Amino acid sequence: MTGMGMINAGVTTQLLLSLFTVEGVVHYGVAGNANPSLHIGDVAIPQYWAHLALWSWQRYGQGPNDSLPFDFTKEVGYLEFANYTSNSSSSVDSDNQLNNIWYEPEEVFPVDGIPEETKHALWVPVDSKYYHIAQKLKGLKLKACINSTTCLSTIPKVELVDRGTSASIYLDNVAYRTFLYNKFNVSPVDMESASVAFICLQQRVPFIVFRALSDLAGGGSAQSNEADTFASLAATNSVTVVVEFVKLLSLHRKRWNML
């Protein structure tokens, strides 16, 4: 149990790896959904995770042609707040004192690296063997109803997706949800998984993440967040997938040991 947010998840993962002999990390939970092709109740298994809340926030008056402080990079790209000004008749004339935020990769100090030598990473891949095993989870039967009167409009499924993202932010805003999907092609958005990913990267421990989609991160038509209704159902689907994955992992470990 990590607790909420990036710091709690990072501390918990490091404690896990420090206090126990761990062969690999299987992390699971619920998440918001930024991908229009997925639905509430689906269980997403991303191949890559990123922390997209490490920013260089530009001062008002500066733009893409101005340099950033320290060694911050412009390679990842930025969000311009003026693009989301709703009371302007023309996007060309719009302005916003919040200006721009530039997304930055994380600094990583691998346990097997040179002390104090920094490496940078944005997208952290899950373990390739784990991801290969997870492909066999497609078609797994998942829960679609909370009770006899409250059911999802689509049958939940397991989906292997390209990317997931985390930040210590509960996302319930359609504009930012849409930006993240269009800019980074992310599906689940949560508050912990990238911390698990980066600790495992730093410690050279294989990992994989399963996140069941409990809401649309602000993209739904309802006034309230869908997680108020479907969080328990999503959590159940997440556990169902993890239990089945552990069974498959046990079978594959026996085969690996025989080779």
Side-chain angles (χ1 to χ4, degrees):
M1 194 73 178
T2 66
M4 184 180 293
M6 298 286 288
I7 293 176
N8 279 334
V11 169
T12 304
T13 306
Q14 185 59 63
L15 284 171
L16 175 74
L17 301 183
S18 297
L19 298 176
F20 299 94
T21 301
V22 177
E23 182 176 312
V25 173
V26 179
H27 179 62
Y28 66 100
V30 300
N33 172 37
N35 186 339
S37 67
L38 300 183
H39 304 90
I40 293 174
D42 291 349
V43 176
I45 312 174
Q47 190 171 9
Y48 298 90
W49 282 91
H51 173 217
L52 292 181
L54 181 59
W55 301 336
S56 176
W57 201 324
Q58 259 184 326
R59 65 177 61 192
Y60 181 64
Q62 293 189 343
N65 295 325
D66 295 294
S67 61
L68 301 177
F70 297 108
D71 60 346
F72 290 127
T73 178
K74 295 181 180 178
E75 293 180 2
V76 180
Y78 69 103
L79 180 150
E80 183 177 358
F81 282 95
N83 291 338
Y84 298 90
T85 303
S86 61
N87 61 353
S88 175
S89 59
S90 172
S91 60
V92 176
D93 299 329
S94 64
D95 198 7
N96 193 306
Q97 291 187 30
L98 291 176
N99 203 21
N100 307 319
I101 54 171
W102 292 83
Y103 292 86
E104 301 296 330
E106 290 279 354
E107 290 187 330
V108 181
F109 299 89
V111 67
D112 56 357
I114 299 173
E116 300 186 28
E117 182 176 293
T118 306
K119 295 185 181 298
H120 290 87
L122 181 67
W123 297 104
V124 180
V126 303
D127 182 73
S128 58
K129 288 184 178 179
Y130 289 178
Y131 198 70
H132 177 74
I133 295 172
Q135 294 175 8
K136 299 182 179 182
L137 296 169
K138 298 192 71 171
L140 189 64
K141 185 176 181 181
L142 300 176
K143 188 176 180 181
C145 294
I146 297 174
N147 51 46
S148 59
T149 59
T150 306
C151 293
L152 295 167
S153 59
T154 59
I155 303 298
K157 56 190 181 301
V158 177
E159 289 287 350
L160 279 76
V161 299
D162 187 24
R163 294 171 171 178
T165 181
S166 307
S168 289
I169 302 166
Y170 188 86
L171 178 56
D172 193 26
N173 181 278
V174 65
Y176 194 58
R177 169 196 195 256
T178 303
F179 171 83
L180 286 178
Y181 176 73
N182 291 337
K183 176 70 176 176
F184 298 107
N185 190 32
V186 299
S187 295
V189 291
D190 70 21
M191 301 174 68
E192 294 85 23
S193 296
S195 279
V196 178
F198 274 99
I199 296 297
C200 289
L201 173 65
Q202 194 271 339
Q203 294 290 325
R204 302 304 196 202
V205 175
F207 79 97
I208 193 167
V209 176
F210 303 91
R211 284 282 178 165
L213 308 177
S214 60
D215 61 272
L216 301 179
S221 58
Q223 293 298 313
S224 61
N225 188 283
E226 299 87 354
D228 292 339
T229 302
F230 294 109
S232 60
L233 183 151
T236 299
N237 285 348
S238 180
V239 171
T240 298
V241 172
V242 168
V243 169
E244 192 62 30
F245 174 79
V246 171
K247 293 178 184 178
L248 292 172
L249 181 60
S250 297
L251 293 174
H252 279 77
R253 287 182 71 253
K254 292 178 181 178
R255 294 171 187 167
W256 294 338
N257 292 335
M258 292 173 62
L259 294 178

